[in-house]
Amino acid sequence: MDTTMSNKAKNGLGLVSIVIMIWTIIPLLWIVATSLKSDAALADPKQNVLGNFWPKDISWDNYKLIFSGGASDLFVPALWHSIIVCVVATVISVALATFCAYAISRLDFPGKKLILTSSLAVSFFPVIAMVTPLFNLWRQVGLFDTIPGLIIPYLALTLPLSIWTLSAFFQQIPWEMEQAAQVDGATSWQAFVKVVAPLAAPGVFTTAIIAFFTAWNDFVFSSNLTAQNAQTVPAALNFFTGASQFVQPTGAICAAAVIVTIPVVILVLVFQRRIVTGLTSGAVKG
Amino acid sequence: MTATPQSSSVAPRSGPPEPVGAPPKRSGRPYGEWLLAALLLLPNLALLVIFTYRPLADNIRLSFTDWNISAPVAHYIGFDNYKTWWHDPNAHEVLKNTLIFTVATVGISMALGLALAILLDQQLRGRNLVRSAIFAPFVISGAAVGIAFQFVFDPNFGMIRDLFDRVGITVPDFYQRPGWALFMVTATYIWKNLGYTFVIYLAALQGRRADLDEAAEIDGASAWRRFTKVLLPQLRPTTFFLSITVLLNSVQVFDIINVMTRGGPQGYGTTTLVYQVYRETFVNSRAGYGATIATIMFLILLVITVVQVRVMDRGMRRD
């Protein structure tokens, strides 16, 4: 491929990829830049460089506003809710999905296909169709606007996905290794811990990442099943107000959007290969 | 562990040889195995049944009622909501919006994703960075993406206005003109979703047999013929997988529309089916009617997916 390509063609392709980079990166840089502008810079283009893009003087006011200033009452609890709800939901969902995927790929019982199909079929239902009945139920049992009231729908959201992804991973594990270890004198538990767990760990980890960012980015459940006691950051972004009610909270919203984006960008940069393997596992199986 | 090892269900590998005394399949304790499987599956199934299937069934039940979200009781009204929907002039606009939004996002993000994947499958300097940059928007919260593009499209100080002002072209007010508003949310979602179609196609390209392509090249096939006759058929399973997953995801887009336009302008300018469910249920309090639209949406998705699977099956068999 590359050996047959001329240098000229290579340069052309390089140029195209730079253009693509700009197309994907600029909108993100735009939020970062806006979050670093003071109120004065937001109002006056002369205080910015690169055609009103980047502020001449970087201001951390917006971050102060959301972490300790007027908007902190809204943002800080929302950030905690996001972290708690998503971590708990991810851990429970991946643990349960691991049981399920282990049973499907390892044990012999009737109805395997039915279980896989029924967990996949969930993705054909519009998520919004679950919101109203849950809203109704949550108000009756007192789970509306509570942390568990959000963890449960996130389990429903991530569990089918995790079962499907993990089953695909577990199909590829050479399970006979476990048996071989037992023949060599290891107990079932030792065989599981020393042989199976290390083989299964990458798949479990990948599934956890995908489950985490699915929950982290949810907007539908959080904006409709919570008010303030359990609201997560994506939903809270809608309720920002400025330093006073007459100031547009543009900078503060952008600062909050940057904070909520940082964890997933780090995940992508570090684990992109794994995430892609997880996302394609369903495609490969067909 | 009561699990009976199932050596015969695993493909033979170059690992340790099969122990001679390994029990043959199904000779162990099948009922013990069933019991363990049931224990492992029970929490999953219970969660799915209670918190996914039950609410969905409940949604269908509510679609036959006049339930107001703030009222404690709902009355059974038969198919009245469905009749209302059929004659609702807004429903037609919403269906049209949903169709335009979905077809555009599925078509354009798949075509662009494939083009980018082919491009970045080449040996280029810094391609890993470019790949991450294209992939990243897919995992970013739709609410944050909506906020970013609110500023990109802003009529007063937005990036697009800024760029076009320099070359002397007046840009439309994307927020006030319904057609342009729909264009705006569609373009935004394509930007976000491109990362997904791109990485899936790229993974497929890297897993394909390059020798077929090389053979065709040696035989003198043109680049276009190699693309349509060799590459596309090889990618068909991936294209099928993407057409279903992208469709299911884009039909459900809620966050971007909520943040950018709240379904407007001029009433229903960017309202899609999902957003109409939300508006009827939580804004207009007509939860029964909202449930009806959600049920209709589910039926539409079901029919489309079944048709897609059928068409694909036939395509596979022909090869």
Side-chain angles (χ1 to χ4, degrees):
Chain A
M1 247 185 305
D2 51 323
T3 47
T4 59
M5 212 186 340
S6 69
N7 264 346
K8 209 171 173 183
K10 246 184 180 175
N11 288 340
L13 285 176
L15 199 71
V16 174
S17 25
I18 290 170
V19 173
I20 298 160
M21 272 286 271
I22 293 172
W23 144 271
T24 46
I25 289 293
I26 291 274
L28 298 178
L29 280 183
W30 186 269
I31 333 184
V32 176
T34 310
S35 75
L36 296 171
K37 286 177 184 173
S38 62
D39 284 349
L42 279 169
D44 178 15
K46 288 199 186 70
Q47 302 203 23
N48 303 310
V49 291
L50 298 172
N52 200 16
F53 183 75
W54 196 264
K56 273 181 195 155
D57 298 307
I58 285 175
S59 150
W60 296 98
D61 288 357
N62 294 314
Y63 290 91
K64 282 181 197 143
L65 188 69
I66 60 169
F67 276 110
S68 55
S72 63
D73 291 348
L74 179 68
F75 182 74
V76 176
L79 189 58
W80 278 116
H81 299 149
S82 271
I83 294 169
I84 295 166
V85 171
C86 295
V87 168
V88 173
T90 302
V91 169
I92 298 177
S93 158
V94 172
L96 293 180
T98 306
F99 295 158
C100 188
Y102 178 85
I104 286 171
S105 55
R106 192 78 180 85
L107 302 179
D108 195 22
F109 62 93
K112 269 187 201 183
K113 205 158 183 190
L114 183 73
I115 286 162
L116 265 181
T117 313
S118 63
S119 66
L120 188 70
V122 171
S123 53
F124 295 90
F125 299 120
V127 174
I128 197 91
M130 287 162 59
V131 173
T132 319
L134 280 179
F135 176 81
N136 195 24
L137 181 67
W138 272 196
R139 279 197 312 190
Q140 285 165 11
V141 299
L143 279 177
F144 179 76
D145 197 20
T146 63
I147 298 280
L150 206 50
I151 290 176
I152 292 170
Y154 283 4
L155 287 178
L157 196 68
T158 55
L159 201 52
L161 185 98
S162 304
I163 291 174
W164 192 252
T165 313
L166 267 174
S167 303
F169 272 117
F170 282 10
Q171 303 286 342
Q172 298 161 1
I173 291 182
W175 291 105
E176 68 270 22
M177 301 263 290
E178 182 188 25
Q179 196 188 335
Q182 285 179 23
V183 171
D184 287 347
T187 64
S188 299
W189 176 246
Q190 280 171 332
F192 181 78
V193 172
K194 300 261 182 196
V195 180
V196 176
L199 287 172
V204 174
F205 184 69
T206 304
T207 308
I209 297 175
I210 295 174
F212 179 81
F213 74 69
T214 305
W216 184 259
N217 292 338
D218 165 75
F219 184 81
V220 179
F221 286 118
S222 179
S223 60
N224 292 312
L225 297 180
T226 66
Q228 48 193 326
N229 295 325
Q231 195 168 56
T232 58
V233 179
L237 288 174
N238 252 354
F239 294 90
F240 267 83
T241 47
S244 79
Q245 66 184 104
F246 305 106
V247 181
Q248 271 289 322
T250 309
I253 290 179
C254 287
V258 170
I259 299 291
V260 77
T261 305
I262 287 174
V264 285
V265 168
I266 292 174
L267 285 180
V268 168
L269 290 179
V270 181
F271 301 115
Q272 185 182 350
R273 210 167 278 264
R274 282 171 186 276
I275 298 173
V276 172
T277 318
L279 290 175
T280 45
S281 58
V284 176
K285 273 167 60 90
Chain B
M1 289 259 159
T2 54
T4 314
Q6 268 182 39
S7 46
S8 55
S9 68
V10 184
R13 277 164 205 274
S14 55
E18 289 289 314
V20 184
K25 196 181 175 188
R26 288 180 198 281
S27 74
R29 286 164 294 177
Y31 292 105
E33 204 162 292
W34 289 13
L35 190 69
L36 177 67
L39 277 175
L40 292 173
L41 294 173
L42 199 66
N44 293 279
L45 295 181
L47 267 171
L48 283 181
V49 168
I50 298 172
F51 297 112
T52 306
Y53 281 100
R54 203 193 72 81
L56 291 165
D58 205 29
N59 181 74
I60 296 174
R61 180 184 67 82
L62 288 169
S63 77
F64 294 102
T65 69
D66 65 351
W67 184 42
N68 180 306
I69 195 112
S70 49
V73 284
H75 306 97
Y76 177 76
I77 54 166
F79 279 91
D80 279 8
N81 284 331
Y82 290 85
K83 285 178 200 153
T84 309
W85 181 78
W86 188 252
H87 298 291
D88 183 351
N90 294 329
H92 301 153
E93 194 182 347
V94 168
L95 269 183
K96 197 186 81 195
N97 289 342
T98 313
L99 191 73
I100 294 172
F101 181 87
T102 311
V103 170
T105 47
V106 172
I108 297 174
S109 68
M110 282 176 66
L112 273 180
L114 177 59
L116 288 179
I118 291 173
L119 174 71
L120 291 169
D121 192 31
Q122 318 287 330
Q123 295 280 324
L124 291 172
R125 208 175 303 137
R127 67 173 176 180
N128 283 337
L129 194 65
V130 184
R131 283 178 187 173
S132 297
I134 300 171
F135 180 57
F138 171 65
V139 293
I140 293 174
S141 125
V145 169
I147 285 166
F149 277 80
Q150 243 179 338
F151 299 122
V152 170
F153 285 103
D154 190 280
N156 300 314
F157 57 88
M159 209 165 76
I160 290 183
R161 158 93 194 257
D162 202 57
L163 284 176
F164 280 85
D165 272 357
R166 277 159 214 270
V167 288
I169 299 172
T170 327
V171 291
D173 186 338
F174 293 102
Y175 289 90
Q176 300 304 323
R177 306 257 307 271
W180 283 107
L182 189 61
F183 167 83
M184 173 175 76
V185 292
T186 309
T188 304
Y189 186 64
I190 290 172
W191 179 85
K192 176 168 159 56
N193 200 49
L194 191 59
Y196 176 68
T197 56
F198 163 72
V199 291
I200 302 281
Y201 267 131
L202 187 64
L205 284 177
Q206 288 169 343
R208 83 188 194 282
R209 292 177 53 201
D211 54 335
L212 285 178
D213 197 50
E214 279 158 22
E217 196 175 354
I218 292 165
D219 288 349
S222 68
W224 177 249
R225 275 190 71 84
R226 271 182 286 148
F227 175 71
T228 54
K229 300 289 177 193
V230 181
L231 188 60
L232 280 187
Q234 272 186 295
L235 292 176
R236 194 177 281 164
T238 311
T239 303
F240 168 65
F241 171 79
L242 279 175
S243 68
I244 287 186
T245 51
V246 174
L247 180 102
L248 290 174
N249 285 332
S250 61
V251 158
Q252 305 221 25
V253 171
F254 175 76
D255 38 19
I256 287 175
I257 293 171
N258 189 275
V259 168
M260 292 183 84
T261 62
R262 290 186 196 271
Q266 294 174 22
Y268 286 78
T270 57
T271 300
T272 58
L273 278 170
V274 170
Y275 208 75
Q276 196 188 12
V277 174
Y278 164 77
R279 282 176 79 159
E280 291 297 349
T281 308
F282 292 99
V283 181
N284 301 340
S285 299
R286 295 162 75 193
Y289 189 46
T292 305
I293 300 166
T295 307
I296 291 169
M297 194 180 150
F298 162 61
L299 292 175
I300 294 174
L301 285 181
L302 192 72
V303 169
I304 291 175
T305 314
V306 168
V307 170
Q308 271 177 314
V309 172
R310 281 276 160 81
V311 169
M312 191 60 198
D313 264 358
R314 208 174 300 154
M316 290 286 207
R317 225 168 288 145
R318 218 179 29 224
D319 286 344

